[in-house]
Amino acid sequence: MSSRVGVVVFPGTNCERDVAWAIETIGGSTEMLWHADASLRGVDAVVLAGGFAHGDYLRTGAIARFSPVMDAVASFAAEGGPVVGICNGFQILTEAGLLPGALQKNAGLKFRCQTVEMRVESSTTVLTRLAEVGQILRIPINHFEGNFVCDPDTLRRIREADQVVFRYVENPNGSLDDIAGICNEGRNVVGLMPHPERASESVLGSADGAVLLRSLLSAVSSGAPRAPGGAKSW
């Protein structure tokens, strides 16, 4: 049986079908999870896809973090379940407190839609276990509020705990420390601004994102034992 990945859909999400297609292309199965549902229906992993949840009113992810499904996502993450937030999904994870820091408007107040190069900084997360540290991936970005920020103490902690998962080779949005993606201390929750599902097949211009999605499916199928505190040892 293939790994079942739940893709959360909020009003305004617009990348859910892209994520589903990319995951199914590499052998996984997907199930759409509506934001008002209180259950994850027994899926093996969760992806919060990109888009404009609730129209980005107030600020990105500020309303979405109160959706009923997020309580289930938080419980799933606390038990060590793999959770990935892409673009708007990353923003929602920070608003929900599942990842540190915040995403603010890009430097120069410009919407960025381009292919960027990002470097893998850690291979011990659910999204990078098949990647190599130092590997350069060409992946598209598509955002206005992708500028990662946090206070100095938080930056020090995430550096010391090896929670910076990806860094931009050339920073497109002003993100602190060139950060393109981070993980939680348990390494089972990962957020990133670039869209791996948009670089999952060569016909799209790059297939570099496929290694990340394969890593997610591999993490699910590995059956890794739960580590103390509820997190898995990836």
Side-chain angles (χ1 to χ4, degrees):
M1 181 181 296
S2 62
S3 301
R4 292 176 60 239
V5 179
V7 183
V8 179
V9 182
F10 299 91
T13 299
N14 59 19
C15 298
E16 69 273 23
R17 296 297 173 185
D18 307 61
V19 171
W21 172 270
I23 289 173
E24 290 167 7
T25 296
I26 60 173
S29 63
T30 59
E31 182 165 349
M32 298 299 163
L33 303 173
W34 183 234
H35 81 113
D37 294 339
S39 169
L40 300 182
R41 302 179 202 160
V43 297
D44 302 306
V46 174
V47 175
L48 277 65
F52 305 90
H54 298 280
D56 283 349
Y57 287 113
L58 300 183
R59 62 181 180 275
T60 53
I63 298 176
R65 69 86 70 235
F66 291 106
S67 290
V69 76
M70 290 307 298
D71 288 335
V73 171
S75 295
F76 181 69
E79 294 171 357
V83 176
V84 173
I86 301 171
C87 196
N88 191 217
F90 184 11
Q91 296 161 344
I92 295 168
L93 290 176
T94 61
E95 286 287 339
L98 296 180
L99 288 175
L103 285 307
Q104 67 177 17
K105 291 179 175 61
N106 296 340
L109 301 180
K110 291 185 178 180
F111 189 94
R112 299 294 182 184
C113 182
Q114 64 195 80
T115 296
V116 301
E117 292 187 340
M118 68 177 187
R119 184 174 58 251
V120 177
E121 302 287 8
S122 174
S123 61
T124 59
T125 77
V126 295
L127 196 62
T128 56
R129 65 197 316 265
L130 300 182
E132 297 180 2
V133 172
Q135 186 174 355
I136 304 298
L137 305 177
R138 294 183 65 254
I139 310 242
I141 59 171
N142 188 71
H143 59 248
F144 180 58
E145 296 175 270
N147 183 351
F148 180 82
V149 296
C150 63
D151 61 75
D153 285 343
T154 299
L155 180 60
R156 174 184 55 79
R157 287 196 300 271
I158 65 175
R159 283 172 170 171
E160 291 176 352
D162 190 32
Q163 289 176 244
V164 179
V165 182
F166 305 106
R167 283 190 172 94
Y168 296 111
V169 175
E170 293 186 10
N171 195 328
N173 54 29
S175 285
L176 183 66
D177 199 25
D178 300 327
I179 290 173
I182 61 172
C183 67
N184 66 340
E185 292 183 3
R187 320 196 73 74
N188 62 302
V189 179
V190 180
L192 72 164
M193 290 309 298
H195 287 259
E197 77 280 7
R198 297 186 184 181
S200 59
E201 298 178 88
S202 58
V203 70
L204 299 175
S206 171
D208 288 358
V211 68
L212 304 182
L213 300 177
R214 289 196 185 97
S215 291
L216 180 61
L217 296 186
S218 173
V220 170
S221 62
S222 69
R226 299 215 181 259
K232 283 189 177 181
S233 175
W234 301 111

